[in-house]
Amino acid sequence: MSGTPEDKMHCPSPFPATIRRVGIFCPAGSPPSDKLEKGCRQLQAWGLSVHRAGIPSPPDRYLAATDTQRVRAFHELLSRDDLDAILAARGGYGCARLLDLIDWDLWQKSSKPVIGYSDLTAIHLGAVAHGITTGIYGPMVASEMARGWDDQSP
C-alpha cells in the first residue's frame, strides 16, 4: 500500500476486539518522546484507550528509571482491572535486570497479555518459567507503531 504518511495511520487494528484498553510501560530505556507519542496516536487511531504507566523524570542514566521504579510501573499496569493488555514502549538493555523484581504471582492473576520483543524476551521467558503463558512476541509502541505498518517491509 502506498500513500501519504497519514494514509498509513488508517490501517486496520491488529488487535482483537477484546483489546480496547492498553497500558504502556518502559522496561528498559526511555524511547524518544516523538516516537512514543506517534505510537500512542496510532493506538488511539485504532480506537484503543491508552494509559502510560507512571515513570518519573529524569531517566536513570540510560534507563527510563531505576529498576525498582520500572518494575513498580509494570506492576501498576498488571494490577489495573480496566486494562486489557500491556505493551512495551521499546526493548533494550535493562529488561533482564527486572527478572528478580517482578511479582510473578501478580502477573499470573492478571492474565493480561504483555506484548513486545527484543530484550523483552527475557521477561517473557521468565514468565514461562513461572507458568505464565500470556507473553506475546509482538510490535512495540515506539518502534513499529511509531513507523506505521507499511514501513515494515524492505
Side-chain angles (χ1 to χ4, degrees):
M1 174 181 186
S2 62
T4 67
E6 292 77 22
D7 292 337
K8 295 176 184 178
M9 297 296 279
H10 292 45
C11 63
S13 172
F15 294 96
T18 55
I19 305 291
R20 304 309 326 145
R21 300 166 312 248
V22 297
I24 299 171
F25 78 118
C26 298
S30 294
S33 60
D34 60 325
K35 289 185 178 184
L36 182 59
E37 291 299 325
K38 189 173 179 188
C40 288
R41 283 195 310 274
Q42 177 65 70
L43 290 167
Q44 292 166 336
W46 287 327
L48 301 177
S49 172
V50 176
H51 172 77
R52 290 191 225 173
I55 294 286
S57 297
D60 184 42
R61 296 182 9 196
Y62 49 85
L63 297 171
T66 66
D67 295 346
T68 302
Q69 290 167 326
R70 286 180 290 119
V71 84
R72 189 177 303 134
F74 181 54
H75 289 162
E76 171 201 333
L77 297 177
L78 288 171
S79 298
R80 289 183 60 141
D81 292 331
D82 62 334
L83 297 177
D84 304 314
I86 299 171
L87 297 138
R90 58 162 281 187
Y93 174 77
C95 292
R97 293 171 49 143
L98 304 182
L99 292 173
D100 290 335
L101 302 174
I102 291 174
D103 182 341
W104 301 106
D105 290 332
L106 177 63
W107 188 345
Q108 183 76 47
K109 289 175 192 164
S110 83
S111 72
K112 290 179 186 71
V114 176
I115 304 165
Y117 68 98
S118 185
D119 290 47
L120 195 75
T121 302
I123 294 174
H124 285 156
L125 291 173
V128 169
H130 287 85
I132 301 164
T133 58
T134 56
I136 297 176
Y137 183 93
M140 292 189 276
V141 180
S143 296
E144 292 73 23
M145 291 178 204
R147 286 194 300 262
W149 296 111
D150 293 335
D151 295 342
Q152 300 310 308
S153 59

